[in-house]
Amino acid sequence: MEFDLLLTGGTVLSLAKGAAPIAAGAVAVRDGAIVAVGPAADLAAAGRAERVLDAQGGLILPGFVNTHAHMAMSLLRGFADDLPLKVWLEKHIWPAEARLMNAETVRLGSLWAAVESLKAGVTTVCDAYFFGEAVAKAARASGLRTVLTEGLLDFPTPACPTPEVAFAKQTALLERYRDDRLIVPSVAPHATYTVSPEWLIREAALAAEYNVPFQIHLAETRSELEEIRQRTGLSPVAYLARLGVLSPQTLAAHCVHVDGADLDLIAENGVAVATNPVSNLKLGSGVAPVLEMLARGVRVGIGTDGAASNNTTDLLRDAQLMALLHKGLSYDPTVLPARQLVELLTVGGAGALGLDDRIGTLEPGKRADVIVMSLTEPHTLPLFDPFAHLAYAARAADVRHVVVEGRLVVEDRQVLTVDEAALRAEVTAFAARVG
Ligand SMILES: [Zn+2]
């Protein structure tokens, strides 16, 4: 058998249901897909590889899945901090976006976030922003698997003067990328407090027609809860349920301010949640009841949110903090054990995006999104349990190789797909212009 690529010699964590780690294992890739997973000696005997990547002293595992981000906001990293969400958005972020964001800056910011993400082991990002075609260019150039859209609000966005225009651009993205291998188009009305019920219903119908994710910010802050309750007499979740827009295609970002009845609605409608622990903490929004969601069987993925509110796209950091946070708040160290946390980072995130038939585990037939993490530094030795190291000790900088859709995009911590030095100069020039 001929392989395009063989990642070999490391401990394989396939994340397949019930699968144990394979010491001295290997993963073989052909035509963008995983074709074999097993002991390195068996795979070496099974075929010849055009390219061999050494993973000795490391882990071979599925790439991390970031279920909620605004990649272009990497250009606004550290631009406005230590403010509540409403003031931060209305007085700082939205005016800055209107002034600074265009197709070119969105391409640049998205590409910069893609480089940051890939180097941190993230192989899929679910993005919600404006100028969706510019985000697609960044996805294509970097090789990052990207869920993207054209954000829709009732009022003008940097890209669209009206929701009609945003809807038309979303539809064009759905048509253009419906069978794409790397890009997954989606529908994204911003939130309950910025999009009218008529548009929420039209958006849900569009997502259903194309069978794509319906992304929305939901129950993020206390002020959103109060505003929607005042307007409708309902919680944000109950309001969307009454509109009939909740379904298994719904990917609700945040869900911090939800009660038991809201959680029941989320579970009954098969809604997936993208939880953003660092962003919610930094904006003082609160802590999402992730344990209650998981207890109800809700699909949960982890997200970083934009780099203006996180302030990085290092998903591993979000996951590690989330585990500690819920152990502490519940006075129970047994919750969110290490293996479950790594599942949420990989196959759980893929499931929340409805992509777990394609990515999220290392199994023959799945697309080849694979990372190698090197665990030979002082902070990761000795190694008794690889899951424990991922949950409590490893860092993004331990990511050594990254493969997306069978393409080697990071080798020995160097991004191969884009000129990082040239990009760094462009980002620095942008900051100098903004002053
Ligand atoms: Zn967001």
Side-chain angles (χ1 to χ4, degrees):
M1 200 179 198
E2 296 281 312
F3 306 135
D4 297 335
L5 182 65
L6 184 70
L7 300 106
T8 187
T11 299
V12 175
L13 307 180
S14 75
L15 273 299
K17 227 184 183 72
I22 306 168
V27 174
V29 175
R30 195 175 61 198
D31 297 331
I34 294 167
V35 290
V37 179
D42 292 6
L43 267 62
R48 216 190 57 81
E50 192 170 309
R51 183 80 205 271
V52 177
L53 268 184
D54 173 32
Q56 284 212 29
L59 302 177
I60 305 173
L61 71 156
F64 303 142
V65 178
N66 185 349
T67 57
H68 183 69
H70 313 288
M71 292 202 291
M73 294 182 87
S74 67
L75 292 182
L76 297 176
R77 191 194 320 269
F79 178 80
D81 298 279
D82 307 327
L83 296 163
L85 183 105
K86 201 174 158 65
V87 178
W88 176 78
L89 261 184
E90 293 175 3
K91 297 259 187 289
H92 298 270
I93 295 301
W94 283 344
E97 286 182 327
R99 191 160 58 88
L100 302 170
M101 289 304 184
N102 53 53
E104 179 42 36
T105 52
V106 168
R107 183 204 61 86
L108 174 63
S110 301
L111 202 47
W112 194 232
V115 168
E116 184 191 358
S117 299
L118 289 171
K119 290 177 88 171
V122 175
T123 50
T124 297
V125 172
C126 179
D127 188 70
Y129 207 62
F130 314 113
F131 300 100
E133 275 299 344
V135 180
K137 270 188 198 159
R140 196 70 81 209
S142 63
L144 176 74
R145 192 179 300 284
T146 308
V147 181
L148 53 77
T149 188
E150 185 66 52
L152 182 144
L153 289 88
D154 280 347
F155 43 86
T157 73
C160 302
T162 64
E164 279 83 3
V165 175
F167 189 83
K169 285 192 179 181
Q170 278 182 3
T171 310
L173 291 168
L174 295 173
E175 281 293 331
R176 183 160 312 143
Y177 298 108
R178 62 193 307 174
D179 297 317
D180 200 275
R181 283 192 155 192
L182 198 66
I183 293 168
V184 180
S186 70
V187 167
H190 174 260
T192 55
Y193 57 98
T194 48
V195 181
S196 69
E198 294 74 25
W199 275 113
L200 289 170
I201 290 167
R202 283 190 67 181
E203 288 278 86
L206 184 65
E209 186 187 337
Y210 284 87
N211 192 28
V212 294
F214 170 91
Q215 307 187 48
I216 188 164
H217 294 92
L218 187 60
E220 181 175 2
T221 61
R222 202 179 287 153
S223 76
E224 174 189 345
L225 185 71
E226 284 159 7
E227 186 178 326
I228 298 300
R229 195 163 269 157
Q230 213 155 50
R231 221 171 71 196
T232 68
L234 298 167
S235 71
V237 175
Y239 166 60
L240 289 190
R242 195 187 61 183
L243 290 180
V245 302
L246 296 181
S247 82
Q249 284 168 258
T250 310
L251 175 66
H254 303 300
C255 296
V256 174
H257 296 276
V258 287
D259 61 16
D262 292 327
L263 289 167
D264 289 343
L265 283 173
I266 286 171
E268 284 160 20
N269 287 284
V271 170
V273 174
T275 186
N276 302 266
V278 170
S279 173
N280 293 154
L281 285 173
K282 179 161 173 281
L283 287 164
S285 300
V287 177
V290 168
L291 302 179
E292 285 87 337
M293 292 171 191
L294 292 170
R296 283 170 170 80
V298 173
R299 288 172 295 144
V300 175
I302 310 168
T304 57
D305 214 347
S309 64
N310 184 304
N311 292 3
T312 79
T313 59
D314 175 358
L315 192 69
L316 185 62
R317 171 179 177 249
D318 268 86
Q320 293 176 339
L321 179 131
M322 181 172 93
L324 298 178
L325 186 62
H326 289 286
K327 287 171 195 288
L329 288 174
S330 64
Y331 298 98
D332 183 354
T334 68
V335 302
L336 285 179
R339 174 158 182 144
Q340 187 181 20
L341 193 74
V342 179
E343 285 171 358
L344 293 179
L345 269 168
T346 53
V347 66
L353 300 180
L355 297 176
D356 48 338
D357 58 334
R358 289 158 67 177
I359 56 167
T361 62
L362 303 182
E363 293 176 277
K366 287 238 174 141
R367 306 314 299 170
D369 290 6
V370 191
I371 65 174
V372 174
M373 293 184 75
S374 178
L375 299 184
T376 52
E377 292 295 312
H379 65 275
T380 49
L381 281 177
L383 173 62
F384 299 111
D385 174 356
F387 289 107
H389 271 11
L390 289 168
Y392 308 117
R395 299 172 190 159
D398 298 326
V399 173
R400 187 173 161 206
H401 307 308
V402 179
V403 172
V404 184
E405 186 63 23
R407 180 185 185 193
L408 182 63
V409 291
V410 174
E411 183 179 11
D412 282 321
R413 301 185 176 85
Q414 300 297 313
V415 179
L416 303 177
T417 48
V418 299
D419 183 344
E420 190 180 334
L423 214 52
R424 185 178 296 121
E426 276 191 76
V427 170
T428 307
F430 169 88
R433 277 204 309 281
V434 172

